[in-house]
């Protein structure tokens, strides 16, 4: 194990997170190569009375993978991936990113539902649920979680699967990093790629109303092999964007077809009938599709999200109007359809509730200058207030920062939350792992 403390040459590099708004200074960072290192780090935290944060990808928008004057358990050295193509399973080290996992599984033409940003940590995304392009066909990442190995608050090394500690496995399928420090995960894989039919369709923003309404009507009726999203964005200065659209507000459809190419071409014809000004949808490697939305690190971030049972015209009008007023050209305003395999999972099979949601909207504010913090945060909060009449309650917690306990309660639902609190009491009764979307242990009456 390697310890990093203030004053070390690489301290600032090792404590830096994806969100540049977060500037926390831990007392020490423990870079852990295995479960024994994790247990030793937790023992040190208990002995010194230090708060604990767990660091993998570092993408949590509220900076929950670091802590001021506490101890960061950094699992990034655990980067191994072992693929069993015959059983369609992968054993994934807790420090892996989705780029690591996708590169290993695509050698065999396999994948599991993964994040839409390749630098996101596998463990953090999975523990929080795991939304991605394959979800309507293969479920959320947590629906594909077969086993998890972790170190509990008291230093025990535990494997949770369907035969041992099944309560802990259930809690890890969306209950976040509340129950221990994950050292590896076992995930189910599915035939995907290595080529998929994917990319962007782009229109000038004056077509946004027409495109959004047609997309809303089409997307839920498409086969589950289609992953998609509608995005309001600013044309980037990239070669694939015509010069007259660069720096201009645009509406885009992101389309990912993971089935037979001929069938996919037929399905996508309905979207192409809207005559996009730019059509970038073509056969491409799945790994390239997985990194298409990657942001550079070091930008300032503030996000939120809402579930919706439907998106009537009035709700779409709010989505588009607020999106048109986004204060930063780096900001994206997104909507994704659920349904398919996401809704096929029983409400109590994982901690995630509200699987009947048809849509998720996701204001994704990104900017550079700290002087613009207030304006961008206000934009996200303003969207939540404006869309509230059409919100279904709850949200996908990986899409949001620290929005208070009531948001957590609403996202799990009363029955699932009580069960999570019981599991928390069994494995972390003193709430050592509080640096997350926190679930407090249930105290017996």
């Amino acid at each position: 194990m390697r310890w990093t403390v203030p004053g070390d040459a690489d301290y600032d590099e090792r404590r830096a997170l994806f969100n540049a708004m977060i500037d926390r200074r831990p007392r020490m960072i423990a870079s852990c190569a295995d479960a024994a290192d994790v247990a030793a780090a937790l023992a040190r935290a208990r002995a010194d009375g230090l708060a604990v944060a767990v660091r993998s990808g570092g993408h949590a928008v509220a900076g929950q993978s670091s802590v001021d004057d506490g101890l960061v358990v950094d699992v990034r050295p655990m980067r191994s991936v072992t693929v069993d193509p015959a059983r369609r399973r992968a054993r994934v080290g807790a420090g892996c990113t989705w780029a690591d996992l996708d590169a290993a599984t695509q050698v065999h033409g396999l994948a599991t539902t993964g994040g839409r940003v390749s630098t996101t940590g596998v463990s953090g995304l999975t523990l929080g649920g795991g939304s991605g392009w394959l979800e309507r066909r293969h479920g959320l990442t947590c629906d594909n979680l077969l086993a998890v190995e972790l170190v509990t608050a008291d230093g025990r090394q535990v494997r949770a699967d369907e035969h041992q500690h099944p309560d802990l496995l259930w809690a890890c399928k969306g209950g976040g990093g509340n129950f221990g420090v994950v050292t590896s995960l076992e995930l189910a894989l599915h035939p995907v790629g290595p080529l998929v039919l994917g990319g962007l369709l782009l229109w000038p923003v004056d077509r946004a109303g027409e495109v959004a309404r047609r997309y809303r009507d089409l997307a839920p009726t498409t086969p589950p092999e289609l992953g998609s999203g509608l995005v309001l964005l600013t044309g980037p200065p990239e070669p694939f964007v015509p010069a007259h659209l660069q720096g201009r507000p645009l509406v885009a459809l992101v389309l990912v077809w993971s089935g037979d190419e001929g069938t996919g071409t037929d399905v996508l014809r309905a979207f192409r009938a809207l005559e996009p000004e730019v059509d970038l949808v073509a056969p491409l490697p799945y790994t390239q599709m997985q990194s298409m939305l990657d942001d550079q690190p070091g930008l300032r971030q503030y996000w939120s999200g809402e579930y919706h049972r439907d998106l009537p015209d009035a709700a779409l009008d709010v989505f588009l109007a607020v999106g048109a007023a986004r204060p930063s050209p780096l900001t994206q305003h997104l909507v994704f359809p659920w349904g398919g395999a996401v809704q096929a999972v029983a409400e109590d099979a994982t901690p995630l509730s509200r699987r009947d949601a048809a849509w998720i909207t996701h204001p994704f504010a990104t900017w550079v200058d700290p002087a613009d913090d207030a304006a961008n945060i206000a934009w996200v909060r303003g969207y939540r207030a404006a869309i509230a009449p059409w919100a279904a309650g709850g949200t996908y917690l990986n899409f949001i920062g620290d929005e208070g306990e009531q948001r957590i309660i609403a996202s799990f639902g009363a029955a699932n939350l009580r069960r999570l609190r019981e599991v928390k009491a069994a494995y972390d009764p003193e709430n050592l792992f509080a640096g997350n979307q926190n679930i407090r242990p249930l105290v017996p009456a």
Side-chain angles (χ1 to χ4, degrees), residues 81-420:
V81 180
T82 304
V83 179
D84 184 339
R87 299 174 68 210
R88 293 182 181 171
R89 294 188 176 194
R91 188 175 187 274
V92 188
C96 289
T97 65
W98 282 99
D100 298 328
L101 178 55
D102 289 334
T105 59
Q106 281 294 282
V107 171
H108 308 282
L110 299 171
T112 197
T113 303
R116 298 178 178 91
V117 174
S118 70
T119 56
T120 304
V122 173
S123 54
L125 186 102
T126 304
L127 295 174
S131 177
W133 300 124
L134 304 179
E135 64 196 9
R136 295 181 69 243
R137 186 180 187 187
H138 297 304
L140 302 173
T141 317
C142 68
D143 300 331
N144 293 278
L145 181 62
L146 303 173
V148 60
E149 295 176 5
L150 51 74
V151 180
T152 59
D154 58 5
R156 288 180 295 151
Q157 298 179 30
V158 173
R159 176 181 169 88
D161 56 32
E162 62 178 331
H163 303 297
Q164 50 192 337
H165 303 286
D167 58 336
L168 185 56
L169 176 64
W170 176 85
C172 289
K173 292 185 173 187
N178 275 280
F179 311 99
V181 179
V182 169
T183 55
S184 71
L185 309 97
E186 189 171 324
L187 293 164
L189 304 174
H190 310 277
V192 174
L195 294 179
V196 294
L197 188 60
L200 296 170
L201 305 179
L202 297 172
W203 295 261
V205 75
D206 59 9
R207 297 281 307 279
E210 174 192 2
V211 172
R213 283 165 172 73
R214 187 65 177 144
Y215 174 72
R216 179 222 28 219
D217 296 340
L218 283 173
T221 68
T222 59
E225 289 88 345
L226 182 67
S228 66
L230 182 139
V231 190
L232 299 179
L233 74 163
T234 301
E238 299 288 350
F240 59 80
V241 178
H244 71 284
L245 295 181
Q246 294 180 14
R248 308 289 296 177
L250 306 176
V251 59
L253 295 184
V254 188
L255 302 172
V256 188
W257 176 266
S258 61
D260 171 75
E261 182 181 336
T263 304
T265 300
D266 291 340
V267 171
L268 298 186
R269 191 170 289 119
F271 299 102
R272 284 172 158 151
L274 286 164
E275 299 181 346
E277 187 152 340
V278 180
D279 185 340
L280 301 170
V281 176
L284 79 170
Y286 176 71
T287 52
Q288 182 179 336
M289 191 69 229
Q290 281 289 85
S291 61
M292 185 173 289
L293 298 183
D294 285 7
D295 269 338
Q296 65 187 67
L299 299 174
R300 304 176 81 79
Q301 310 277 348
Y302 191 84
W303 318 331
S304 192
E306 294 289 352
Y307 289 146
H308 308 274
R309 294 188 181 89
D310 55 22
L311 286 174
D313 286 354
L316 278 181
D317 289 344
V318 168
F319 176 85
L320 296 172
V322 175
R326 60 193 188 278
S328 167
L330 300 176
T331 289
Q332 298 179 1
H333 198 30
L334 306 102
V335 57
F336 301 113
W338 264 18
V342 176
Q343 290 185 349
V345 175
E347 188 81 357
D348 61 356
T350 73
L352 276 74
S353 68
R354 311 206 183 254
R355 284 181 177 259
D356 60 343
W359 301 94
I360 305 176
T361 56
H362 184 26
F364 193 102
T366 303
W367 66 101
V368 176
D369 191 342
D372 296 331
D373 286 0
N376 284 277
I377 292 170
W379 176 78
V380 173
R381 291 175 175 171
Y383 172 71
R384 282 199 61 209
I387 203 68
W390 300 278
T395 190
Y396 170 57
L397 292 175
N398 277 347
F399 276 179
I400 74 170
D402 183 4
E403 295 185 358
E405 187 177 21
Q406 290 306 309
R407 285 282 266 174
I408 298 172
I409 293 170
S411 295
F412 292 129
N416 284 352
L417 181 62
R418 180 177 179 84
R419 187 175 171 188
L420 285 168

Side-chain angles (χ1 to χ4, degrees), residues 32-50:
C32 299
D34 54 28
D37 283 354
V38 172
L42 294 179
R44 177 69 179 272
R46 291 194 303 271
D48 292 358
L50 298 177

